[in-house]
């Protein structure tokens, strides 16, 4: 193992890492919107026109591999006239997949809010939308912060899958370098360390937030 040419590889890996970070934040923003929408759509089972399609969509996404979803968006959609840029396809695939899982997190968070909060808002004559925005969701968001943080870290690592649809993120950049230089051990070791150097502190940060929220709720 020889890292004498590491300085030559770092610019490409840095460019790949920047795209990985962009994919993570863009996909997470997309996932938060989708997750909250799906959770609210399933909130009232009496509204079957919303709850059933939302539930079916969540089960469809959760029941199929993320890699297959990416392939479907990037390679199958063009047969229906929808050809997407690889980065856009990656953001949509990662965002939809994570959003389906986050919808369950949001739904659990909303369910965890004391029923008395709903009853109190109802007694004051607040409409459902206003109750959600000003009473329920602020409390639910506080509950779901730790699990959302964990999904964010998982999403950062899952971005490596978009290398399969030609997105030049960190892993794809490393694969190109390895193919050119035949220094597979060194390059993949550097990528390994980069992922760990970002994921591990982020995990510690999520645990710290979780502990603080647990203490403040006592």
């Amino acid at each position: 193992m020889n890292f004498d040419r590491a300085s030559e590889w770092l610019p490409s890996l840095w460019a790949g890492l920047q795209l990985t970070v962009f994919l993570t934040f863009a996909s997470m923003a997309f996932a938060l919107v989708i997750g909250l929408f799906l959770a609210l759509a399933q909130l009232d089972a009496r509204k079957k026109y919303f709850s059933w399609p939302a539930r079916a969509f969540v089960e469809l996404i959760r029941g199929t591999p993320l890699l297959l979803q990416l392939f479907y968006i990037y390679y199958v959609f063009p047969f229906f006239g929808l050809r997407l840029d690889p980065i856009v396809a990656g953001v949509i695939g990662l965002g939809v997949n994570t959003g389906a899982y986050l919808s369950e997190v949001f739904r659990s968070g909303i369910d965890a809010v004391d029923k008395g909060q709903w009853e109190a808002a109802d007694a004051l004559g607040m409409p459902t939308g206003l109750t959600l925005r000003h009473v329920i969701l602020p409390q639910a968001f506080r509950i779901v912060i730790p699990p959302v943080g964990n999904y964010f870290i998982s999403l950062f690592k899952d971005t490596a899958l978009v290398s399969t649809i030609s997105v030049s993120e960190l892993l794809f950049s490393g694969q190109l370098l390895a193919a050119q230089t035949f220094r597979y051990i060194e390059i993949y070791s550097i990528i390994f360390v980069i992922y760990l150097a970002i994921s591990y502190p982020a995990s510690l940060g999520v645990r710290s937030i979780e502990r603080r929220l647990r203490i403040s709720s006592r």
Side-chain angles (χ1 to χ4, degrees):
M1 189 180 296
N2 189 339
F3 292 94
D4 59 331
R5 296 181 60 189
S7 60
E8 300 175 18
W9 307 328
L10 288 179
S12 294
L13 295 178
W14 171 244
L17 177 60
Q18 287 179 303
L19 184 52
T20 293
V21 172
F22 168 77
L23 286 168
T24 304
F25 279 94
S27 302
M28 194 63 188
F30 192 37
L32 288 171
V33 174
I34 291 177
L36 184 59
F37 175 78
L38 291 173
L40 293 176
Q42 298 177 75
L43 192 60
D44 190 349
R46 292 170 299 180
K47 297 178 180 176
K48 297 177 182 178
Y49 293 113
F50 295 104
S51 62
W52 285 17
R55 187 70 206 167
F57 183 76
V58 169
E59 294 302 330
L60 173 70
I61 298 300
R62 294 177 64 188
T64 52
L66 171 57
L67 186 58
L68 177 60
Q69 293 162 17
L70 288 169
F71 283 172
Y72 206 89
I73 292 170
Y74 188 64
Y75 294 113
V76 178
F77 276 15
F79 287 99
F80 300 101
L82 183 59
R83 187 177 299 279
L84 297 172
D85 177 86
I87 295 177
V88 175
V91 169
I92 292 174
L94 292 168
V96 168
N97 183 273
T98 306
Y101 285 93
L102 285 182
S103 71
E104 296 300 292
V105 173
F106 287 138
R107 200 159 62 90
S108 300
I110 293 171
D111 286 341
V113 176
D114 192 280
K115 300 299 180 189
Q117 301 288 321
W118 285 98
E119 293 168 0
D122 188 50
L124 292 172
M126 293 177 69
T128 303
L130 202 61
T131 303
L132 275 171
R133 285 200 303 275
H134 295 286
V135 180
I136 304 301
L137 289 181
Q139 297 180 67
F141 284 149
R142 182 181 173 86
I143 295 170
V144 304
I145 286 175
V148 169
N150 287 325
Y151 274 107
F152 184 77
I153 296 168
S154 294
L155 180 59
F156 170 68
K157 292 177 284 188
D158 285 345
T159 56
L161 288 174
V162 300
S163 64
T164 58
I165 56 171
S166 306
V167 177
S168 54
E169 44 70 64
L170 178 58
L171 182 59
F172 188 85
S173 301
Q175 288 173 326
L176 290 179
L177 283 173
Q180 292 167 1
T181 62
F182 301 103
R183 306 286 282 273
Y184 293 94
I185 297 177
E186 293 87 346
I187 290 171
Y188 286 134
S189 296
I190 293 173
I191 294 173
F192 189 95
V193 170
I194 292 173
Y195 273 112
L196 185 63
I198 295 175
S199 297
Y200 184 62
S203 298
L204 294 179
V206 171
R207 288 180 197 169
S208 175
I209 292 172
E210 192 172 6
R211 278 197 300 272
R212 291 183 182 183
L213 290 174
R214 194 181 301 130
I215 292 171
S216 63
S217 64
R218 289 176 183 169

